[in-house]
Amino acid sequence: MPLLYLMGSLQDKEPPKELTGFSVCVQDKEINMMLANLYKKAGQERPSVTSYKEVLRQCPLALDAILGLLSLSVKGAEVASMTMNVIQTVPNLDWLSVWIKAYAFVHTGDNSRAINTICSLEKKSLLRDNVDLLGSLADLYFRAGDNKNSVLKFEQAQMLDPYLIKGMDVYGYLLAREGRLEDVENLGCRLFNISDQHAEPWVVSGCHSFYSKRYSRALYLGAKAIQLNSNSVQALLLKGAALRNMGRVQEAIIHFREAIRLAPCRLDCYEGLIECYLASNSIREAMVMANNVYKTLGANAQTLTLLATVCLEDPVTQEKAKTLLDKALNQRPDYIKAVVKKAELLSREQKYEDGIALLRNALANQSDCVLHRILGDFLVAVNEYQEAMDQYSIALSLDPNDQKSLEGMQKMEKEESPTDATQEEDVDDMEGSGEEGDLEGSDSEAAQWADQEQWFGMQ
């Protein structure tokens, strides 16, 4: 029976006896690698580990087998011991033990140590400008919530390999979140020209549709990506988000749960599920999930902020939310999600001056559309209208599709600022009779339309 037929007929079922018997007879490393991957896909971890170890016994430099073992929670030290002999005998292989250590951190969810270890590897001349390492580093920055460095590393990898597809779904998602929809569209077209048989081009196109508020199309594109790769976490998240925004929350929950099963160390999978719980007013379920994430992934800025987000939904836990956010910002003052949630809390308490100070501090070393828009809202609350308008303008320059910034700007245009009132009083003093007053009113109305045209022109 042909091997390709056997693999195609397996899907998610147990590997057929024909393949296992063939492997026993031939003891070929390629067959064992196929078996390991098939067992893993079927959720049978023990035989998968056995098959990966057999591959390493025959070929100690099989990096895919090493990654397979690490993904199945085999200790990094145990995996490294299986390659020790070849590292000691083959020249220029001193990097391999560090490489194994780095990806052991990756698969245990220790993002900061994984980033530091891969950065040390990248500095070595032998692995400098290695596309796989850059892609892993970009993904780790993304998982750690450092979107700026993630985008930079993805761009660096893409420049080195214009035909790179792996990881481009995450890159497209980050660009879409930043409002760079034209760049997302160009990326999608380029990836489709490379291959339409991978999930990544469909996910990128789906992200463009999602952030253009075309949720039905995003849902279709996400489903198409899942057909091509049922293990695509980004496709599951895209489809789940589209379903949630279309009001089909229970269907969305199924997709987020599947994403968590495939990537238990990715916080954004849990964020999507918790958003679904909150959307359906299931605060208790959201709290249980947030607490589990906090215990499982540790007390870092991301998990603290996620737990605080749920606490903000219940007036009883407002003070706990404040404590959690302060801890998160002490760890990472630049973590945008924590800054946004802290600003939301200060807004509820009407502590606008404190909120302005928080946002100015966060914007000192970075520029973000949401932070500029919220700063604009706070400035309006303290009657700083001109600077508020400036902040809305900056927000729209970063993301022309940000509806809330546009609404804030348009609302200000309709309301008369104190400066305008003072100018009108000065004109009243200069003008004389009632007839001239009527003419002045006409001029004021014309001036108001001129101001609006000026602001609309800036949009």
Side-chain angles (χ1 to χ4, degrees):
M1 185 178 292
L3 288 178
L4 290 177
Y5 172 78
L6 289 169
M7 293 181 67
S9 65
L10 176 62
Q11 295 180 349
D12 293 329
K13 301 177 183 178
E14 184 178 350
K17 294 179 181 178
E18 292 91 335
L19 185 53
T20 55
F22 185 65
S23 174
V24 170
C25 295
V26 179
Q27 288 294 305
D28 185 270
K29 59 182 179 295
E30 293 181 1
I31 303 301
N32 276 307
M33 191 69 191
M34 290 180 186
L35 266 175
N37 290 333
L38 291 169
Y39 278 128
K40 181 181 175 182
K41 186 176 181 181
Q44 300 184 43
E45 293 189 5
R46 183 172 293 182
S48 180
V49 167
T50 301
S51 297
Y52 279 132
K53 286 184 175 179
E54 183 60 28
V55 173
L56 279 185
R57 188 186 66 79
Q58 298 177 28
C59 183
L61 296 181
L63 300 185
D64 285 342
I66 292 173
L67 291 175
L69 286 171
L70 294 174
S71 71
L72 292 170
S73 301
V74 178
K75 299 291 184 183
E78 182 183 349
V79 176
S81 67
M82 301 178 70
T83 65
M84 197 58 65
N85 289 336
V86 71
I87 290 175
Q88 293 173 349
T89 55
V90 178
N92 299 322
L93 267 185
D94 56 317
W95 57 268
L96 183 57
S97 58
V98 183
W99 186 89
I100 294 172
K101 181 180 177 182
Y103 283 95
F105 288 140
V106 170
H107 288 287
T108 56
D110 194 340
N111 295 326
S112 60
R113 294 172 76 180
I115 288 170
N116 292 335
T117 309
I118 290 181
C119 284
S120 70
L121 267 177
E122 197 195 0
K123 292 176 183 176
K124 294 180 180 291
S125 59
L126 188 64
L127 295 177
R128 185 168 294 159
D129 291 337
N130 181 279
V131 174
D132 286 334
L133 277 184
L134 287 170
S136 296
L137 200 52
D139 188 60
L140 284 166
Y141 278 125
F142 166 66
R143 295 188 189 194
D146 188 347
N147 294 343
K148 181 180 179 181
N149 274 319
S150 180
V151 168
L152 289 174
K153 291 301 176 182
F154 274 129
E155 289 174 348
Q156 192 176 344
Q158 189 180 222
M159 287 177 65
L160 290 167
D161 182 5
Y163 295 95
L164 179 66
I165 290 181
K166 184 180 178 181
M168 291 295 101
D169 48 353
V170 175
Y171 177 50
Y173 164 72
L174 289 173
L175 293 179
R177 278 197 59 178
E178 291 181 358
R180 297 166 57 181
L181 294 184
E182 185 176 348
D183 291 337
V184 177
E185 187 174 13
N186 293 336
L187 175 64
C189 291
R190 187 174 64 78
L191 292 176
F192 274 119
N193 287 334
I194 296 171
S195 172
D196 62 355
Q197 295 304 304
H198 291 77
E200 285 84 351
W202 300 91
V203 172
V204 170
S205 184
C207 288
H208 184 276
S209 296
F210 182 86
Y211 282 91
S212 300
K213 302 188 186 304
R214 294 181 292 169
Y215 302 124
S216 296
R217 179 167 175 76
L219 177 62
Y220 162 75
L221 293 167
K224 177 65 177 178
I226 292 170
Q227 285 181 356
L228 292 169
N229 181 5
S230 60
N231 292 330
S232 172
V233 174
Q234 211 61 39
L236 287 164
L237 294 178
L238 170 65
K239 190 177 177 185
L243 287 166
R244 182 192 64 222
N245 283 24
M246 293 169 69
R248 296 160 62 178
V249 177
Q250 293 306 313
E251 293 176 70
I253 286 174
I254 295 171
H255 287 77
F256 286 121
R257 284 177 175 165
E258 177 63 12
I260 290 170
R261 187 188 71 81
L262 292 171
C265 292
R266 278 187 58 169
L267 191 77
D268 52 338
C269 301
Y270 299 98
E271 288 175 336
L273 181 57
I274 287 173
E275 285 175 10
C276 286
Y277 286 144
L278 295 178
S280 57
N281 293 319
S282 303
I283 298 178
R284 183 177 177 182
E285 288 85 347
M287 186 66 75
V288 170
M289 178 60 67
N291 275 307
N292 287 339
V293 174
Y294 177 79
K295 293 174 183 176
T296 304
L297 301 184
N300 56 55
Q302 294 169 282
T303 57
L304 288 163
T305 303
L306 184 59
L307 184 54
T309 300
V310 181
C311 290
L312 283 171
E313 296 296 317
D314 188 347
V316 177
T317 52
Q318 295 283 310
E319 283 302 315
K320 183 180 179 181
K322 184 177 181 180
T323 302
L324 291 167
L325 290 171
D326 287 341
K327 287 182 179 179
L329 290 169
N330 282 335
Q331 287 189 22
R332 284 184 56 185
D334 62 337
Y335 186 45
I336 291 176
K337 289 183 179 179
V339 175
V340 170
K341 289 301 174 182
K342 183 65 183 290
E344 180 183 329
L345 185 57
L346 292 171
S347 178
R348 292 183 187 182
E349 297 174 346
Q350 297 186 352
K351 296 180 179 178
Y352 301 117
E353 295 292 349
D354 291 344
I356 290 170
L358 171 73
L359 292 162
R360 289 193 196 283
N361 184 58
L363 287 166
N365 298 312
Q366 61 184 333
S367 190
D368 179 80
C369 169
V370 176
L371 296 186
H372 283 291
R373 183 231 303 155
I374 297 174
L375 180 55
D377 294 340
F378 276 58
L379 289 166
V380 169
V382 297
N383 301 324
E384 295 287 345
Y385 298 109
Q386 185 55 55
E387 189 179 356
M389 191 68 83
D390 293 341
Q391 294 298 326
Y392 289 137
S393 298
I394 295 170
L396 286 170
S397 69
L398 293 170
D399 182 2
N401 298 306
D402 185 52
Q403 191 64 32
K404 290 184 178 179
S405 295
L406 188 60
E407 289 171 0
M409 182 177 283
Q410 290 175 340
K411 184 178 179 181
M412 284 191 63
E413 290 168 6
K414 293 176 182 177
E415 295 178 356
E416 185 180 65
S417 71
T419 306
D420 293 334
T422 303
Q423 289 176 349
E424 286 186 8
E425 287 174 5
D426 292 341
V427 173
D428 286 339
D429 292 338
M430 293 175 63
E431 300 296 338
S433 64
E435 286 186 11
E436 290 175 348
D438 293 338
L439 291 171
E440 176 215 327
S442 176
D443 291 341
S444 176
E445 184 178 357
Q448 183 181 4
W449 282 106
D451 287 343
Q452 288 187 358
E453 288 174 358
Q454 181 183 2
W455 284 115
F456 284 125
M458 290 179 65
Q459 298 163 21

